[in-house]
Amino acid sequence: MQAPTQAPVNRTIIEPDAAAPAAGGPLAPAFARARAAVVHVFVEVAGTNVFKLERPSSGVVIGSNGLVVTHWDLVREAQGATDKSVFVQLADATRTRLAAKIAAHDVASGLALLQAEVPVGTALVAIDLADAPAPGDPAAVLSYHDGEDHVGFGGIVAFAVGGVTTGDLKFAPSDILLTDAAIQARSHGAALIAADGGLLGLCNASRVATEVSEPTLQDLKRSSFGFVIPTRAIKKAFAYACKPAEQASSGAAAKLASVEARAVARVQDSVVAVLGGEAASRPALGDSDPYAVQRRARVGSGVIVDTNGLVFTNRHLVDGASVVSVTLRDGTTCVADVVETHASTNSALLKMRLAKGAKVTAIPCGSLAAAAVGDVVLAVGNPEGHALTLRQGVLSAVRGRAVQTDAGVGNHNAGGALVSMRGELLAIIDGGARDLLDVAFARRGEQAKVETSLDLSPSIDTLREIYRTALDRDPGTNASLAKPETKASAAPSGVAAVVARTAGSMLNIYVEIKAAALLSEDNPFAPPNATTLTESLGSGVIIDVGGLALTNWHVVDAATEPDGSMTQDRVVRAKLRDGRVFDADVLSISREQDLALLRLRVPADQTVDAVALGASGALAVGDQTVAIGNPHGRADTVTAGVVTAKNQAIRVKGRWAKLPHLLETDAAINAGNSGGALLDSQGRLIGINSAGGSLHAVTGFSISVDHVREMLRSVLLSPEKLRSAYAGLSVVDVEGKVVVQSVDRHGPCAAAGVATGDVVCAVGEVAMRWSGDFALAWSHIDGGATVSVEFERDGKREVRKVTPLSAAAWAVFRQVGLDVSELGIGDDAAKVRAAAIAMDRQFTGDPTAVPSEFPASCVRVVRVHPAVEGAVDVRPGDLVLGVVLRSEGADAEQLLRFQRVEDVQRCVNEHSTYEGETFRTWLYRDGAVRLVELTAKRLMW
């Protein structure tokens, strides 16, 4: 293991930069403006025990006088009941509860208007009712479902493709809005807010399916969605209540179209419906698929790429079809011919049979040369020919000839366009020759439930190359199809800027089996001549230029022993975005925190970058997040979202307790993202990604950076976790200095005269940059070896000699209360031989017995801890020879002999408990063997 590199320390490991800008993000202002107006609505039942009806339930304040809009099904139990009351809980510091009355109920929309009892002289924060949105406008879902904290999701607005029936309510497509911001079960009654913080509508989650712990493929395909009752329905139902809000906004300046809406408007006439088969064979959507996500044979979208009617689409929609038709947004339908198809890209080129001289609107065609990983993209489809399906995401990666994105591509926009914010075509969305969910389920079974939108689609550059002959043979007037703009933006912005800023500190982690293990007899399927084989993978992040990195414990679990040391038949490798690969040592692990500390073996002539650590405590729901990792082995994948919720807790693999202090995000977190970075909009680390989402709640969880920072210092860098020599003191970082915080009065440093308040300058030849250097320095020092510790006291430099305990001796000291060392046969051959003979004769009962082999060493007591001294008959100089064990169900006793300190440590860990176990221990003193009962406790790793 290499010594720490003496380079400038990453000070944000110690504490966040107080002067750094807030995290924020594109939707953060909207969340901030709307937060106070989104409330918790609940029904309380009176009786012997007063309780509230537990269910996700939110509402929105639309009048400062206490008018609140919510869903009727959340309050109807209180209508006319004498034992039930409605309450509105505000999201203020005291979580104020206000009694409320049902003022009105609209049967058509299922909305209810409440009148909260606002104290005289006070006014509630009310939200403005926004104007009708344009398709693609940014939007956010914000709920206060349990009265504990807000939960939010980001996305864009779309219009419904189909209608919805839920309970007694029936909505036509024109009655509702849709959004790709997640509407979960806990979003019932949540606000859909515009970028300016105004209310676009009320979220209805009544059609969101319940979770299934082990879902079948049928469960995965079950219809599950949320939708939005738009503001116009609120205005219509409760016109008198909305009038003040309408007057307040009547003088506002005309709203500028959003960048997203402008991009949609630029391409909307070029994205068409494609149907393979008879003209009348398009299956109806029904009333349970407003997003058109259910797969229907040969139904999909296409993109007009030239004015003469050339259309790109998916091959599976048209291959073998007797008739192919294309429907424009204005409803015009015409037959199209299949010009050419390409199987490996699942693409097809069609030619519409236009009337002579007729032209159609072609999409502006871009190029990946002008795009950057992290750029915002839109997935646009038109499966019915009248309403666009819209999903927003980022360009996650470029995989050879394909584009990867976290936008929700799939059945609902198969064959449609993946476009940039300039409204230029980047790729044709591949909906899959087979249903992508079928493929995921076949590969991962129930784990398919956490797959979130990381599909590959052929880029327009690839399609230009594949279909060049056909495109040149029949050119139209779309110049961008032949010669696109290839000049990239001068400087990346948004997520792309975060990616560019942090790329050098992101890691793809691989745990590999060494050749010896591969070639073992019990592994007949190992590839021939292989030196290693990847066993598992994950992600990581570099936090110090010396090569320190963090990942999840479960990422490197296969490469570590229970105490955190590395196994002999595994190797851990870390790959950087620039292609460099380093071997990595696992320095320490924490199962309970699901964290692991690594050090990359960086050659002396190379450097690595470190990410800045932010402050998760300062984050707000709605702040932007960026996840970079290795999901499903797709290295360097970028996904983006917002902070959905804070202070969450879940269970992860191998843990008996919940993992606390989690950030929840709607950035896609999949298998392989584990251990990777969750970043804020400034490129600072705000969490270590630890778990993906579930069946219908496709959010991910990340260990908050504030907790990570604390666990790094107190757990991962502790001598116990590092298995390092024990010096007997703790240090803290104070204004750039490493200061002694406490001294173990029984430890080596106390014996050397080091005191609280001393400033540690160096340990051996390692200068101290921060407390991590102090912890790691002792991991390079052998127990029992004397080292010089330089420190400063009262302005003067001093050097003291310290002889630390070995990691095993320190463990035994804590387990048994004995400071022990090894007495080698070379140190005192007569005593070692005499002890071995005495033990053999004691165990066999033969007074003349002599062992056939003598041990190389014995375990000697150096010191007895004051807490043990006097309680047991043990003295300095005694030799601890072994313990007598009786296995359950066995007749004979077994003598477990000790030669090394590690033998004592291993014995306790294997045969004791955390509460403690009494061992019949054999000691050697004054030429005789003594039986002493010692209580020892297993250490919790």
Side-chain angles (χ1 to χ4, degrees):
M1 186 183 299
Q2 64 185 30
T5 303
Q6 291 303 301
V9 70
N10 181 0
R11 306 305 301 181
T12 61
I13 297 178
I14 302 166
E15 58 183 358
D17 182 359
L27 285 171
F31 279 101
R33 293 189 192 104
R35 190 168 287 118
V38 178
V39 297
H40 178 46
V41 173
F42 64 93
V43 173
E44 187 175 84
V45 181
T48 305
N49 296 311
V50 178
F51 64 94
K52 76 173 185 178
L53 299 180
E54 295 289 347
R55 57 193 174 196
S57 52
S58 300
V60 184
V61 180
I62 62 172
S64 59
N65 60 345
L67 290 174
V68 176
V69 64
T70 188
H71 289 299
W72 170 245
D73 61 4
L74 294 176
V75 296
R76 62 185 172 191
E77 291 94 344
Q79 180 74 6
T82 58
D83 62 340
K84 298 179 180 68
S85 304
V86 178
F87 287 89
V88 169
Q89 181 181 312
L90 307 182
D92 55 11
T94 59
R95 295 177 178 172
T96 302
R97 291 173 29 144
L98 302 175
K101 301 294 185 183
I102 299 174
H105 164 217
D106 182 58
V107 176
S109 63
L111 297 175
L113 185 67
L114 309 180
Q115 175 65 69
E117 297 177 4
V118 181
V120 177
T122 61
L124 303 187
V125 176
I127 196 168
D128 289 335
L129 303 186
D131 296 329
D137 273 347
V141 171
L142 185 62
S143 69
Y144 195 40
H145 70 288
D146 59 0
E148 295 296 324
D149 201 359
H150 286 96
V151 174
F153 305 93
I156 57 175
V157 175
F159 294 163
V161 180
V164 174
T165 296
T166 176
D168 297 330
L169 301 175
K170 187 174 182 63
F171 299 97
S174 59
D175 295 333
I176 59 176
L177 290 175
L178 304 181
T179 178
D180 62 343
I183 299 178
Q184 300 180 342
R186 54 184 169 171
S187 304
H188 201 48
L192 183 70
I193 53 178
D196 63 1
L199 182 67
L200 293 172
L202 204 69
C203 298
N204 187 309
S206 59
R207 292 300 305 267
V208 175
T210 55
E211 291 287 338
V212 177
S213 59
E214 297 182 2
T216 63
L217 182 58
Q218 184 178 3
D219 292 326
L220 294 173
K221 290 187 173 185
R222 185 169 40 155
S223 177
S224 178
F225 60 88
F227 59 96
V228 180
I229 310 299
T231 298
R232 65 175 181 271
I234 299 174
K235 293 179 179 179
K236 180 180 179 182
F238 314 120
Y240 71 94
C242 301
K243 188 174 182 181
E246 290 176 337
Q247 290 176 342
S249 61
S250 60
K255 185 182 72 170
L256 295 176
S258 65
V259 174
E260 295 85 348
R262 292 200 300 270
V264 171
R266 193 178 187 197
V267 306
Q268 62 183 0
D269 290 328
S270 305
V271 181
V272 297
V274 171
L275 177 64
E278 298 300 328
S281 64
R282 178 182 281 114
L285 279 174
D287 59 0
S288 60
D289 192 15
Y291 293 85
V293 300
Q294 300 297 320
R295 192 175 181 90
R296 293 174 291 160
R298 300 188 180 281
V299 175
S301 304
V303 184
I304 301 173
V305 293
D306 216 342
T307 54
N308 60 357
L310 290 177
V311 175
F312 276 131
T313 188
N314 284 175
R315 180 176 183 265
H316 76 272
L317 299 176
V318 300
D319 194 38
S322 57
V323 178
V324 175
S325 62
V326 172
T327 301
L328 304 181
R329 197 169 72 94
D330 64 4
T332 302
T333 297
C334 71
V335 174
D337 298 310
V338 178
V339 178
E340 190 177 341
T341 66
H342 190 255
S344 65
T345 58
N346 190 32
S347 61
L349 179 64
L350 313 179
K351 175 67 183 296
M352 299 171 63
R353 296 180 187 177
L354 299 176
K356 186 176 182 179
K359 298 292 180 183
V360 288
T361 303
I363 195 169
C365 295
S367 170
L368 290 183
V373 172
D375 280 349
V376 178
V377 293
L378 297 173
V380 186
N382 187 9
E384 291 295 293
H386 59 78
L388 299 178
T389 58
L390 300 176
R391 301 277 170 157
Q392 184 186 52
V394 297
L395 180 60
S396 291
V398 177
R399 309 287 183 197
R401 295 150 61 95
V403 174
Q404 181 180 315
T405 177
D406 64 346
V409 304
N411 297 323
H412 47 302
N413 42 34
L418 191 70
V419 302
S420 70
M421 286 299 93
R422 292 180 291 201
E424 295 175 339
L425 180 67
L426 295 179
I428 297 297
I429 297 167
D430 183 3
R434 289 178 59 199
D435 190 327
L436 299 177
L437 197 52
D438 287 340
V439 175
F441 190 82
R443 289 176 179 171
R444 291 182 290 279
E446 67 172 47
Q447 291 303 308
K449 66 186 179 183
V450 298
E451 174 69 19
T452 40
S453 308
L454 289 179
D455 301 306
L456 299 172
S457 297
S459 70
I460 184 60
D461 306 88
T462 297
L463 297 176
R464 282 192 188 98
E465 178 184 340
I466 292 173
Y467 296 99
R468 174 51 57 198
T469 300
L471 295 175
D472 289 344
R473 185 171 58 241
D474 191 10
T477 60
N478 184 8
S480 67
L481 178 60
K483 189 177 181 181
E485 174 65 50
T486 59
K487 184 178 179 182
S489 302
S493 60
V495 175
V498 171
V499 174
R501 189 178 306 133
T502 62
S505 54
M506 302 294 113
L507 298 174
N508 302 296
I509 305 292
Y510 303 89
V511 175
E512 300 177 350
I513 308 175
K514 292 182 180 179
L518 284 173
L519 300 177
S520 63
E521 293 182 0
D522 59 351
N523 188 17
F525 303 106
N529 304 318
T531 57
T532 61
L533 179 69
T534 299
E535 180 179 21
S536 59
L537 54 82
S539 308
V541 56
I542 300 171
I543 60 170
D544 186 76
V545 294
L548 287 182
L550 289 170
T551 187
N552 284 144
W553 155 69
H554 73 260
V555 169
V556 295
D557 178 32
T560 57
E561 301 287 358
D563 67 350
S565 60
M566 293 189 67
T567 61
Q568 297 300 308
D569 59 352
R570 299 292 191 276
V571 63
V572 177
R573 303 195 195 280
K575 184 178 181 180
L576 273 69
R577 197 179 188 92
D578 61 14
R580 289 183 294 168
V581 179
F582 300 119
D583 284 356
D585 296 308
V586 180
L587 300 183
S588 62
I589 62 171
S590 173
R591 289 176 180 77
E592 291 311 301
Q593 305 302 328
D594 196 25
L595 291 171
L597 179 64
L598 313 181
R599 185 190 293 286
L600 309 187
R601 296 183 180 179
V602 183
D605 61 345
Q606 296 187 37
T607 60
V608 292
D609 297 330
V611 72
L613 278 65
S616 49
L619 294 172
V621 170
D623 284 350
Q624 187 170 56
T625 60
V626 179
I628 302 179
N630 192 15
H632 304 306
R634 299 179 184 179
D636 308 313
T637 287
V638 178
T639 59
V642 300
V643 175
T644 295
K646 299 174 64 177
N647 299 316
Q648 302 298 292
I650 63 168
R651 283 185 173 85
V652 297
K653 171 190 170 186
R655 288 173 45 85
W656 59 270
K658 286 186 176 181
L659 186 66
H661 310 293
L662 298 177
L663 296 174
E664 186 177 349
T665 178
D666 58 2
I669 305 294
N670 291 297
N673 271 115
S674 292
L678 187 70
L679 306 167
D680 67 12
S681 62
Q682 306 298 315
R684 296 170 300 216
L685 183 71
I686 56 173
I688 298 295
N689 296 322
S690 190
S694 55
L695 178 57
H696 300 301
V698 285
T699 49
F701 298 91
S702 183
I703 307 170
S704 66
V705 73
D706 291 347
H707 187 65
V708 169
R709 188 184 281 113
E710 179 185 347
M711 292 302 101
L712 174 64
R713 293 196 303 255
S714 63
V715 176
L716 295 177
L717 287 171
S718 67
E720 297 86 355
K721 289 296 185 180
L722 289 170
R723 306 166 308 284
S724 65
Y726 179 64
L729 57 77
S730 64
V731 296
V732 64
D733 296 283
V734 179
E735 297 179 350
K737 297 180 180 180
V738 179
V739 179
V740 177
Q741 184 179 40
S742 64
V743 180
D744 179 356
R745 60 192 179 95
H746 303 294
C749 278
V754 182
T756 302
D758 289 346
V759 176
V760 183
C761 303
V763 175
E765 297 181 356
V766 180
M768 296 293 99
R769 304 173 304 162
W770 67 298
S771 57
D773 287 340
F774 180 84
L776 293 170
W778 296 101
S779 67
H780 302 286
I781 298 169
D782 294 330
T786 299
V787 63
S788 298
V789 176
E790 183 180 356
F791 60 92
E792 183 180 294
R793 181 185 297 171
D794 298 329
K796 296 180 181 180
R797 291 284 182 110
E798 297 186 31
V799 177
R800 298 291 174 92
K801 299 294 185 179
V802 176
T803 304
L805 299 176
S806 69
W810 169 230
V812 173
F813 190 63
R814 288 175 292 145
Q815 290 172 325
V816 190
L818 301 179
D819 181 359
V820 296
S821 63
E822 288 162 16
L823 179 67
I825 199 164
D827 300 321
D828 191 338
K831 189 171 184 177
V832 172
R833 289 173 63 88
I837 292 171
M839 180 172 62
D840 206 48
R841 292 176 178 178
Q842 176 74 25
F843 186 69
T844 63
D846 181 357
T848 63
V850 176
S852 58
E853 293 184 7
F854 288 92
S857 62
C858 290
V859 177
R860 176 177 55 185
V861 177
V862 177
R863 183 166 49 108
V864 181
H865 194 284
V868 176
E869 192 174 24
V872 293
D873 183 17
V874 183
R875 303 174 189 174
D878 289 349
L879 299 184
V880 185
L881 302 179
V883 296
V884 178
L885 301 174
R886 181 184 291 275
S887 301
E888 186 176 349
D891 295 330
E893 292 182 328
Q894 174 190 2
L895 175 61
L896 187 60
R897 303 173 186 242
F898 299 151
Q899 292 189 52
R900 300 175 57 83
V901 176
E902 287 87 347
D903 296 338
V904 183
Q905 177 192 13
R906 189 179 305 110
C907 170
V908 176
N909 282 334
E910 291 179 358
H911 299 285
S912 187
T913 65
Y914 297 127
E915 292 76 24
E917 189 77 24
T918 300
F919 290 87
R920 297 172 60 204
T921 308
W922 284 9
L923 300 181
Y924 180 77
R925 182 196 305 163
D926 299 332
V929 174
R930 298 167 179 268
L931 180 63
V932 176
E933 291 192 343
L934 295 179
T935 300
K937 296 181 179 181
R938 181 181 177 185
L939 295 179
M940 182 175 290
W941 295 103

